[in-house]
Amino acid sequence: MHVKLKRVKKIVFSGLALVVLAAAAFASCEVIAAGSGVNQNSETVWIRLVPDKAANGKAKLGLDFSKAIPGLTNDTPTADLRALFTFTNGGGCPTAEYITALSITKDSEAVYTLTVQNVPDNGQGIVLVTITTPGVAPPTRAWSLDGEPEPLWSHNKEPLAELPEYYASNYGAGLRDGSNWDNAVNNKKLYDVLVKAADRGSAVKVYVAAGTYIPWNTHSDDAPTGHAASFTLASNVAVYGGFANGLSGTVSATDQSARAGRFNTDGSGAGYGTIKPEFAATYETILSGDLNGDDNGIDVTTATDFTVMDNNAYHVVTIPEGTNSTAKLDGFTIKCGNAASETFETEEDVMGMLGGGILSCNSLNGTPPSPVLTNLTITGNQGSGGGGMYNYRSAPAITNVTIVGNRGCGMFNVQSSPILTNVLIAGNQGSGIVNRASSSLILTNVDIIDNQTTAKGGGIYNDGCKLVLTNVTIAGNTAEDHGGGIYNFYYDTLVLTNVLIAGNQAGDKGGGIYNNAHDKLVLTNVTIAGNKAGASGGGMCNENLWESDIRNSIVWGNTASSGANVYNDITYPGTSTWTNSLVEGSGGWDTVNWGTNTAASIAVSDSPFEGWIDPSTGGWAPTSAANYQLSGAAGVNVGSNSLYDGQSAPSTWTDAVIAIHGAWTNFLSALKDLDGAPRKKGIIDMGAYERQ
């Protein structure tokens, strides 16, 4: 529970001064200073002291400093300690008459235990401590009698200096002004740093060491607090995590290079952008919405009771309108956001339902935010929409990122155009990605696997959007309704190249892909295999004036009650055109049920794959396990190079995309197959893989 107190007036001593204010309601009066001297370093913190009523209100406070306090020993008598420690209540009145004894123990070189007798019990055990230590930095840790060491929860409202670089570490160090590692702010003051950096309007870098950081407002009286507080990105501010605690000096180019090497960039391990296992214990840097520290590792994808998250921040990270590509967030785990507001009375309430991990939002007339997000793991967040990330009129560049284990879908896009490169979206509840209202996405080297929804679109849900998918795997996803892998509805345009859609399951139609209402698909070197639908179209189900152009592709080994591989509803027929492609079957090409064979497409009854998993038997969908590389002659060297090389640039291949991937023709010519092997060895193969 957060208890709001008035600003604390400083009390200064020549040696060490502590002011302890009980968080209770007393009449206010003036604080009387004792002693004199220069206030060199001070820190105001929340700390929990639980008086032992059976022992005359005894409470102990552990203090860990960076070095010993001169002249402070086990033999310092109570009378002298009273000159150094003054106790007041929440209103600022002296309460010395309640203190019957005061002692201090030097436990080691710089660790002390302060014992206070007759601490007034305010019912919560929370006190505010202002520690002034001339010549010595404030303590790096504080803990109560029976508690574990915990970081100080800073509430120092002294303004930070304007610096080109800021440093934050788990416990802080030195003067805690953020000027370098030796004087890093602690984990409860990163929020302050980002507020200060955003106010600058010039280039600022923020370096953050391993630990868990919460978005608690300690800097600005008019900035959001409680649920609404978050780490807010800003133009010209680059924030980097993944450093070790205990560093000295400033960050060099060598340090940055070593930091970058601690994250997966090739999809190995647990995913893209995740910190490598051997570095996790020392370098993982977490931005958390768990304000009270009581989530206890809740799994939002399986839990049914989310009470422990009631006091969490709505959004861990927010990205406001106008934030441009000079805003960078790199090297963090983002977790425990709880965008689960249940009221609609204010705009804050509505936004509190969206984007538990990250909320990127723009007004109707503002400039879409376009931050650069790199080396992130977004996990364990929930929201009514976009548990992992919610984009509204936004255009983030997302590279080397894993979005895993969120509730309310991994990513939700409305009128947005994110660019995803080297991204894993896995194990999310409520679809992997949901796209609505003319969103346009560019996905390159993206894996969308093992996501689930009770509705439509287990892997991807599209409604009136444009997508370009290149070297993408969509596997093991489940939808209880239509579209286990992909659900398309109403004038969607999809361009797929080197894509695997496998092992997905739909309870009704379209195990791999479901298309309805004027959808246009261009599939080049796509493999659709091992998918299952409860009703029709195990591989692909087309309804209502669709348009599909299928080239160099394979649709084989899917299952459904009707149309195991392809189901075309002829009530309002569309068109399916097949060129140099392969479909499971025997007895020749089935024009009625599949569509038009314009050139060199074939029906094959034997599996063309190395390790196909039959979805109708023991290994049925959903599963992301299988090997859909080509095993023999079927599909090998029978594609069309001109169909592959001659693909027209999508209309969404904008300057922002070119800045990342280059011109379309150059991008296409440099592509490998889905396994990273050369794409063309003479005549191109069918499907997503090239036989080597």
Side-chain angles (χ1 to χ4, degrees), residues 299-301 403-407 410 424-432 448-452 477:
D299 184 346
V300 298
T301 64
I403 304 173
V404 59
N406 301 283
R407 189 179 192 87
L424 170 65
I425 300 174
N428 299 287
Q429 291 287 339
S431 300
I448 303 171
I449 61 174
D450 298 334
N451 302 284
Q452 300 179 21
N477 303 287

PDB file of all heavy atoms in Angstrom, residues 299-301 403-407 410 424-432 448-452 477:
ATOM      1  N   ASP A 299       1.483 -17.304 -13.706  1.00  0.00           N
ATOM      2  CA  ASP A 299       1.445 -17.594 -15.143  1.00  0.00           C
ATOM      3  C   ASP A 299       0.097 -17.110 -15.673  1.00  0.00           C
ATOM      4  O   ASP A 299      -0.933 -17.736 -15.450  1.00  0.00           O
ATOM      5  CB  ASP A 299       1.616 -19.091 -15.389  1.00  0.00           C
ATOM      6  CG  ASP A 299       1.680 -19.440 -16.876  1.00  0.00           C
ATOM      7  OD1 ASP A 299       1.325 -18.584 -17.719  1.00  0.00           O
ATOM      8  OD2 ASP A 299       2.074 -20.574 -17.210  1.00  0.00           O
ATOM      9  N   VAL A 300       0.098 -15.985 -16.370  1.00  0.00           N
ATOM     10  CA  VAL A 300      -1.170 -15.394 -16.803  1.00  0.00           C
ATOM     11  C   VAL A 300      -1.870 -16.223 -17.875  1.00  0.00           C
ATOM     12  O   VAL A 300      -3.061 -16.033 -18.129  1.00  0.00           O
ATOM     13  CB  VAL A 300      -0.965 -13.950 -17.317  1.00  0.00           C
ATOM     14  CG1 VAL A 300      -0.436 -13.057 -16.212  1.00  0.00           C
ATOM     15  CG2 VAL A 300      -0.046 -13.914 -18.529  1.00  0.00           C
ATOM     16  N   THR A 301      -1.150 -17.145 -18.515  1.00  0.00           N
ATOM     17  CA  THR A 301      -1.783 -17.948 -19.564  1.00  0.00           C
ATOM     18  C   THR A 301      -2.587 -19.110 -19.007  1.00  0.00           C
ATOM     19  O   THR A 301      -3.422 -19.682 -19.714  1.00  0.00           O
ATOM     20  CB  THR A 301      -0.731 -18.498 -20.539  1.00  0.00           C
ATOM     21  OG1 THR A 301       0.151 -19.402 -19.851  1.00  0.00           O
ATOM     22  CG2 THR A 301       0.085 -17.363 -21.143  1.00  0.00           C
ATOM     23  N   ILE A 403       7.853 -12.161 -27.706  1.00  0.00           N
ATOM     24  CA  ILE A 403       6.587 -11.845 -27.035  1.00  0.00           C
ATOM     25  C   ILE A 403       5.957 -13.178 -26.666  1.00  0.00           C
ATOM     26  O   ILE A 403       5.389 -13.867 -27.514  1.00  0.00           O
ATOM     27  CB  ILE A 403       5.669 -11.020 -27.953  1.00  0.00           C
ATOM     28  CG1 ILE A 403       6.383  -9.739 -28.417  1.00  0.00           C
ATOM     29  CG2 ILE A 403       4.370 -10.676 -27.250  1.00  0.00           C
ATOM     30  CD1 ILE A 403       5.620  -8.950 -29.458  1.00  0.00           C
ATOM     31  N   VAL A 404       6.070 -13.567 -25.413  1.00  0.00           N
ATOM     32  CA  VAL A 404       5.730 -14.937 -25.030  1.00  0.00           C
ATOM     33  C   VAL A 404       4.945 -14.948 -23.720  1.00  0.00           C
ATOM     34  O   VAL A 404       5.243 -14.211 -22.785  1.00  0.00           O
ATOM     35  CB  VAL A 404       7.007 -15.804 -24.909  1.00  0.00           C
ATOM     36  CG1 VAL A 404       7.963 -15.238 -23.870  1.00  0.00           C
ATOM     37  CG2 VAL A 404       6.683 -17.255 -24.610  1.00  0.00           C
ATOM     38  N   GLY A 405       3.916 -15.805 -23.665  1.00  0.00           N
ATOM     39  CA  GLY A 405       3.219 -16.051 -22.412  1.00  0.00           C
ATOM     40  C   GLY A 405       2.440 -14.868 -21.884  1.00  0.00           C
ATOM     41  O   GLY A 405       2.417 -14.618 -20.672  1.00  0.00           O
ATOM     42  N   ASN A 406       1.778 -14.117 -22.772  1.00  0.00           N
ATOM     43  CA  ASN A 406       0.918 -13.016 -22.351  1.00  0.00           C
ATOM     44  C   ASN A 406      -0.550 -13.411 -22.525  1.00  0.00           C
ATOM     45  O   ASN A 406      -0.880 -14.309 -23.285  1.00  0.00           O
ATOM     46  CB  ASN A 406       1.221 -11.765 -23.173  1.00  0.00           C
ATOM     47  CG  ASN A 406       2.661 -11.329 -23.037  1.00  0.00           C
ATOM     48  OD1 ASN A 406       3.047 -10.742 -22.034  1.00  0.00           O
ATOM     49  ND2 ASN A 406       3.472 -11.629 -24.053  1.00  0.00           N
ATOM     50  N   ARG A 407      -1.430 -12.698 -21.850  1.00  0.00           N
ATOM     51  CA  ARG A 407      -2.864 -12.974 -21.929  1.00  0.00           C
ATOM     52  C   ARG A 407      -3.570 -11.773 -22.553  1.00  0.00           C
ATOM     53  O   ARG A 407      -3.310 -10.635 -22.191  1.00  0.00           O
ATOM     54  CB  ARG A 407      -3.434 -13.241 -20.537  1.00  0.00           C
ATOM     55  CG  ARG A 407      -4.869 -13.759 -20.529  1.00  0.00           C
ATOM     56  CD  ARG A 407      -5.328 -14.027 -19.098  1.00  0.00           C
ATOM     57  NE  ARG A 407      -6.571 -14.790 -19.070  1.00  0.00           N
ATOM     58  CZ  ARG A 407      -6.645 -16.110 -19.100  1.00  0.00           C
ATOM     59  NH1 ARG A 407      -5.527 -16.822 -19.167  1.00  0.00           N
ATOM     60  NH2 ARG A 407      -7.808 -16.723 -19.076  1.00  0.00           N
ATOM     61  N   GLY A 410      -0.693 -11.589 -27.994  1.00  0.00           N
ATOM     62  CA  GLY A 410       0.682 -11.107 -27.903  1.00  0.00           C
ATOM     63  C   GLY A 410       0.812  -9.660 -28.324  1.00  0.00           C
ATOM     64  O   GLY A 410       1.412  -8.838 -27.642  1.00  0.00           O
ATOM     65  N   LEU A 424       9.887 -13.592 -32.109  1.00  0.00           N
ATOM     66  CA  LEU A 424       9.162 -14.793 -31.709  1.00  0.00           C
ATOM     67  C   LEU A 424       7.911 -14.372 -30.960  1.00  0.00           C
ATOM     68  O   LEU A 424       7.985 -13.625 -29.989  1.00  0.00           O
ATOM     69  CB  LEU A 424      10.024 -15.677 -30.810  1.00  0.00           C
ATOM     70  CG  LEU A 424       9.303 -16.864 -30.129  1.00  0.00           C
ATOM     71  CD1 LEU A 424       8.828 -17.876 -31.167  1.00  0.00           C
ATOM     72  CD2 LEU A 424      10.215 -17.530 -29.102  1.00  0.00           C
ATOM     73  N   ILE A 425       6.749 -14.858 -31.428  1.00  0.00           N
ATOM     74  CA  ILE A 425       5.478 -14.614 -30.756  1.00  0.00           C
ATOM     75  C   ILE A 425       4.907 -15.981 -30.412  1.00  0.00           C
ATOM     76  O   ILE A 425       4.445 -16.709 -31.296  1.00  0.00           O
ATOM     77  CB  ILE A 425       4.522 -13.813 -31.656  1.00  0.00           C
ATOM     78  CG1 ILE A 425       5.157 -12.457 -32.006  1.00  0.00           C
ATOM     79  CG2 ILE A 425       3.173 -13.611 -30.979  1.00  0.00           C
ATOM     80  CD1 ILE A 425       4.369 -11.654 -33.004  1.00  0.00           C
ATOM     81  N   ALA A 426       4.941 -16.367 -29.145  1.00  0.00           N
ATOM     82  CA  ALA A 426       4.665 -17.758 -28.784  1.00  0.00           C
ATOM     83  C   ALA A 426       3.927 -17.862 -27.461  1.00  0.00           C
ATOM     84  O   ALA A 426       4.143 -17.075 -26.539  1.00  0.00           O
ATOM     85  CB  ALA A 426       5.980 -18.542 -28.698  1.00  0.00           C
ATOM     86  N   GLY A 427       3.050 -18.880 -27.385  1.00  0.00           N
ATOM     87  CA  GLY A 427       2.426 -19.235 -26.123  1.00  0.00           C
ATOM     88  C   GLY A 427       1.556 -18.161 -25.521  1.00  0.00           C
ATOM     89  O   GLY A 427       1.394 -18.095 -24.299  1.00  0.00           O
ATOM     90  N   ASN A 428       0.973 -17.300 -26.362  1.00  0.00           N
ATOM     91  CA  ASN A 428       0.078 -16.262 -25.861  1.00  0.00           C
ATOM     92  C   ASN A 428      -1.374 -16.729 -25.913  1.00  0.00           C
ATOM     93  O   ASN A 428      -1.764 -17.489 -26.796  1.00  0.00           O
ATOM     94  CB  ASN A 428       0.238 -14.986 -26.692  1.00  0.00           C
ATOM     95  CG  ASN A 428       1.644 -14.436 -26.631  1.00  0.00           C
ATOM     96  OD1 ASN A 428       2.062 -13.882 -25.625  1.00  0.00           O
ATOM     97  ND2 ASN A 428       2.388 -14.603 -27.722  1.00  0.00           N
ATOM     98  N   GLN A 429      -2.179 -16.256 -24.974  1.00  0.00           N
ATOM     99  CA  GLN A 429      -3.608 -16.540 -24.959  1.00  0.00           C
ATOM    100  C   GLN A 429      -4.353 -15.385 -25.618  1.00  0.00           C
ATOM    101  O   GLN A 429      -4.100 -14.223 -25.310  1.00  0.00           O
ATOM    102  CB  GLN A 429      -4.100 -16.713 -23.520  1.00  0.00           C
ATOM    103  CG  GLN A 429      -3.594 -17.955 -22.826  1.00  0.00           C
ATOM    104  CD  GLN A 429      -4.267 -19.218 -23.342  1.00  0.00           C
ATOM    105  OE1 GLN A 429      -5.346 -19.164 -23.925  1.00  0.00           O
ATOM    106  NE2 GLN A 429      -3.631 -20.360 -23.148  1.00  0.00           N
ATOM    107  N   GLY A 430      -5.292 -15.721 -26.535  1.00  0.00           N
ATOM    108  CA  GLY A 430      -6.044 -14.674 -27.214  1.00  0.00           C
ATOM    109  C   GLY A 430      -5.418 -14.268 -28.525  1.00  0.00           C
ATOM    110  O   GLY A 430      -5.497 -13.102 -28.918  1.00  0.00           O
ATOM    111  N   SER A 431      -4.763 -15.194 -29.240  1.00  0.00           N
ATOM    112  CA  SER A 431      -4.105 -15.008 -30.538  1.00  0.00           C
ATOM    113  C   SER A 431      -2.667 -14.519 -30.366  1.00  0.00           C
ATOM    114  O   SER A 431      -2.324 -13.887 -29.367  1.00  0.00           O
ATOM    115  CB  SER A 431      -4.851 -14.034 -31.451  1.00  0.00           C
ATOM    116  OG  SER A 431      -6.169 -14.470 -31.725  1.00  0.00           O
ATOM    117  N   GLY A 432      -1.867 -14.820 -31.401  1.00  0.00           N
ATOM    118  CA  GLY A 432      -0.506 -14.300 -31.421  1.00  0.00           C
ATOM    119  C   GLY A 432      -0.503 -12.819 -31.757  1.00  0.00           C
ATOM    120  O   GLY A 432       0.010 -11.986 -31.013  1.00  0.00           O
ATOM    121  N   ILE A 448       5.607 -17.489 -35.276  1.00  0.00           N
ATOM    122  CA  ILE A 448       4.348 -17.330 -34.543  1.00  0.00           C
ATOM    123  C   ILE A 448       3.866 -18.732 -34.204  1.00  0.00           C
ATOM    124  O   ILE A 448       3.306 -19.434 -35.052  1.00  0.00           O
ATOM    125  CB  ILE A 448       3.320 -16.558 -35.390  1.00  0.00           C
ATOM    126  CG1 ILE A 448       3.885 -15.188 -35.795  1.00  0.00           C
ATOM    127  CG2 ILE A 448       2.010 -16.390 -34.632  1.00  0.00           C
ATOM    128  CD1 ILE A 448       3.047 -14.446 -36.807  1.00  0.00           C
ATOM    129  N   ILE A 449       4.107 -19.176 -32.991  1.00  0.00           N
ATOM    130  CA  ILE A 449       3.893 -20.590 -32.668  1.00  0.00           C
ATOM    131  C   ILE A 449       3.172 -20.760 -31.325  1.00  0.00           C
ATOM    132  O   ILE A 449       3.331 -19.971 -30.402  1.00  0.00           O
ATOM    133  CB  ILE A 449       5.220 -21.377 -32.650  1.00  0.00           C
ATOM    134  CG1 ILE A 449       6.179 -20.840 -31.596  1.00  0.00           C
ATOM    135  CG2 ILE A 449       5.889 -21.351 -34.018  1.00  0.00           C
ATOM    136  CD1 ILE A 449       7.453 -21.671 -31.447  1.00  0.00           C
ATOM    137  N   ASP A 450       2.355 -21.797 -31.272  1.00  0.00           N
ATOM    138  CA  ASP A 450       1.737 -22.275 -30.022  1.00  0.00           C
ATOM    139  C   ASP A 450       0.904 -21.210 -29.302  1.00  0.00           C
ATOM    140  O   ASP A 450       0.842 -21.168 -28.074  1.00  0.00           O
ATOM    141  CB  ASP A 450       2.814 -22.815 -29.067  1.00  0.00           C
ATOM    142  CG  ASP A 450       3.557 -23.996 -29.650  1.00  0.00           C
ATOM    143  OD1 ASP A 450       2.988 -24.696 -30.508  1.00  0.00           O
ATOM    144  OD2 ASP A 450       4.731 -24.219 -29.282  1.00  0.00           O
ATOM    145  N   ASN A 451       0.247 -20.345 -30.060  1.00  0.00           N
ATOM    146  CA  ASN A 451      -0.692 -19.388 -29.476  1.00  0.00           C
ATOM    147  C   ASN A 451      -2.106 -19.972 -29.527  1.00  0.00           C
ATOM    148  O   ASN A 451      -2.403 -20.835 -30.348  1.00  0.00           O
ATOM    149  CB  ASN A 451      -0.633 -18.066 -30.236  1.00  0.00           C
ATOM    150  CG  ASN A 451       0.759 -17.470 -30.233  1.00  0.00           C
ATOM    151  OD1 ASN A 451       1.207 -16.914 -29.241  1.00  0.00           O
ATOM    152  ND2 ASN A 451       1.464 -17.583 -31.360  1.00  0.00           N
ATOM    153  N   GLN A 452      -3.001 -19.468 -28.682  1.00  0.00           N
ATOM    154  CA  GLN A 452      -4.349 -20.029 -28.600  1.00  0.00           C
ATOM    155  C   GLN A 452      -5.382 -18.919 -28.471  1.00  0.00           C
ATOM    156  O   GLN A 452      -5.113 -17.869 -27.894  1.00  0.00           O
ATOM    157  CB  GLN A 452      -4.475 -20.949 -27.375  1.00  0.00           C
ATOM    158  CG  GLN A 452      -3.525 -22.122 -27.366  1.00  0.00           C
ATOM    159  CD  GLN A 452      -3.682 -22.981 -26.125  1.00  0.00           C
ATOM    160  OE1 GLN A 452      -4.723 -22.943 -25.464  1.00  0.00           O
ATOM    161  NE2 GLN A 452      -2.668 -23.744 -25.792  1.00  0.00           N
ATOM    162  N   ASN A 477      -0.578 -23.315 -33.651  1.00  0.00           N
ATOM    163  CA  ASN A 477      -1.563 -22.390 -33.089  1.00  0.00           C
ATOM    164  C   ASN A 477      -2.964 -23.008 -33.110  1.00  0.00           C
ATOM    165  O   ASN A 477      -3.256 -23.875 -33.932  1.00  0.00           O
ATOM    166  CB  ASN A 477      -1.555 -21.087 -33.878  1.00  0.00           C
ATOM    167  CG  ASN A 477      -0.191 -20.439 -33.899  1.00  0.00           C
ATOM    168  OD1 ASN A 477       0.260 -19.888 -32.902  1.00  0.00           O
ATOM    169  ND2 ASN A 477       0.488 -20.512 -35.037  1.00  0.00           N
TER     170      ASN A 477
END
